[in-house]
Amino acid sequence: MPEFNLVDREWIPCLMRDGNQPRELSLRDVLLEAHNIHEVFDDSPLVTVALHRLLLAILHRNFGPARFGEWKELWKCGAWDGQVITKYLEQWRHQFDLFDQTRPFYQVKRMANAGLQPATLLALEISGSQATLFDHNFDATPPAMSAASAARYVIARQAFSIGFGKSEPFYLQDSILVRGLTFLVFGNNLFETLMLNMLIYTRSRPVEWNGEDLPVWEQEEPAAPEKVGTLATGYLDYLTWQSRRIHLLASDDSPKTRQCQIQQNLVLADAQGILDPFKCYREVKEKGLQPMPLNPAKALWRESHTLFQQTTQTKRRPEVFELAARVEAARRCGEIEAQPAYSFAAYGFATKIGQAANVEFWSRERLPLPLTYLTEPYLVESLRLALKLADDVGEGLKDSIRLLARLLIAPLSNDKNARQPDAGDVSNLVSGFASEEFYWARLEPAFKKLLTDLPEDQRANRAAEDLPDTRAATEWARMLLETARAALSKTINSLSGSARELKAGAEAERRFNGLMKRIRETHPRLFPPKPETGGEE
């Protein structure tokens, strides 16, 4: 049987700081050279998240930290202690072999009661749907998957597996990260990134210990699946949670695999009430705190203010943001050298309505993270107002486009009995114009600039009930109106130019101008009067 030990074989995809092509590195090299690696990055957002959790489990096991003071000392080092890392990985090296016959990494021994499936099924984005999991009529020679790819997808599958269909010993259940978005904070290199996501680790946090807390490879006898649920023994157990019993069948001649087995394994006990520290939670009526879901129809930046709002009984921002707030406070006090801004990314996917096993949409969004938003509530409120203004302008554009669509289908008439346009036809025509998509897509770069500039511009406007008339805010307001007008003009110009269409376009522009005038009058400081030009906008 081939050997593929993750400690020293190359399998983790990394972007290097020297700007060269992406490279695959061993587990040992990734940790020892973290300060020279830009970031761990895989084409699959799920793999990216899962690899960070694996690395964090190893680091927490070796370095804690149990107090923020210890965290600051680790940060000041700028790199991990190579002797500690090397000793640990050598001690447990025998548990990191992907094809070990008795205990393969993140897997189980071959199962007598499980059928064989193509190894590509491990990748949700490759298989497209888990429906094939229950179809045994696959090609006798499924495509081969390299050991490096198989390792990445096995780890991702433990965190991201959709609960759908029959299995043994009970029906498949969702893995711990399936629902809601997962957030990671990014520094200037992989060492900083791991540190910015490395929470204070004690017997009571982030997950209260329920026994000896060990990562799965150190557990002498891993837990067996229980339909009623299993308690995580602590944070390390949770980070390496095994939601599926997986077994890779290795090729005899090379470290590749074509087939695998997949069955249900552990289900996290609801009674434990674990809130994942990498998720944002909001209270939902009769359900309690629920993770913020991915919305395929709305980019994350349009709701970014909710991520920064300080934690209360009804909402909880990602715990990694709480750590970032402490980093900012320590930076301001001169206790550590750090930047006032980093970045964060959100990862997740959505399934089709009524088709729980069919992945419809993947997301990997990245935004700037000026840390002052995490410590200054007034800035979050200003950001909320800026996004509300964007929504108001967007609603004005939407109303104008709907008027245009109605007039194109059924022109205005003084006859009360004249045919009224069908609402479905209007909606279909509006959707075909894609004016709103144009508006929101064009605003994203401007929003990222606003997110960065607003803290510098607004230090003297903490009590403002409206957006202050600062450079950042007025530029944003101007961009909103210009972008909405461009979206409307683009739609009208796409028409053929018949008399009927010209009339409809003129009516839509008249409606748009009136709605924008109302918005300008509501926010006079953001829209100072223009010099007289002899005509009206």
Side-chain angles (χ1 to χ4, degrees), residues 22-96:
R23 295 173 52 192
E24 289 185 357
L25 298 177
S26 69
L27 182 57
R28 179 194 291 113
D29 287 344
V30 164
L31 292 172
L32 295 183
E33 297 297 323
H35 53 292
N36 292 321
I37 298 171
H38 180 58
E39 64 180 83
V40 167
F41 180 91
D42 190 87
D43 289 339
S44 165
L46 309 189
V47 169
T48 300
V49 170
L51 291 179
H52 281 85
R53 291 171 77 94
L54 171 67
L55 296 173
L56 286 169
I58 295 173
L59 294 172
H60 278 299
R61 180 65 170 138
N62 286 277
F63 301 107
R67 296 181 297 277
F68 188 58
E70 294 178 11
W71 188 98
K72 290 186 291 185
E73 292 304 313
L74 289 171
W75 176 267
K76 292 174 183 177
C77 292
W80 304 112
D81 187 321
Q83 290 185 339
V84 173
I85 293 294
T86 300
K87 180 180 178 181
Y88 179 79
L89 292 179
E90 284 303 312
Q91 178 184 358
W92 294 101
R93 186 182 186 281
H94 61 290
Q95 298 285 35
F96 283 84

Side-chain angles (χ1 to χ4, degrees), residues 76 94 142 162 164 169 199 215 304 355 404 426 446 466 527:
K76 292 174 183 177
H94 61 290
I162 301 171
F164 175 79
L199 303 172
S304 55
Q355 301 180 38
L404 174 65
V426 172
D466 191 7
F527 302 100

Side-chain angles (χ1 to χ4, degrees), residues 19 31 93-94 149 155 158 180 188 201 211 236 279 306 308 328 399 416 447 473 489 495 500 503 531:
L31 292 172
R93 186 182 186 281
H94 61 290
S149 292
I155 295 169
Q158 298 294 7
N188 295 314
Y201 170 57
L236 303 186
K279 292 183 181 290
T306 65
F308 303 148
E328 170 65 0
D399 185 82
K416 295 182 179 180
F447 174 78
S489 298
L495 304 176
R500 176 180 174 180
K503 184 176 181 180

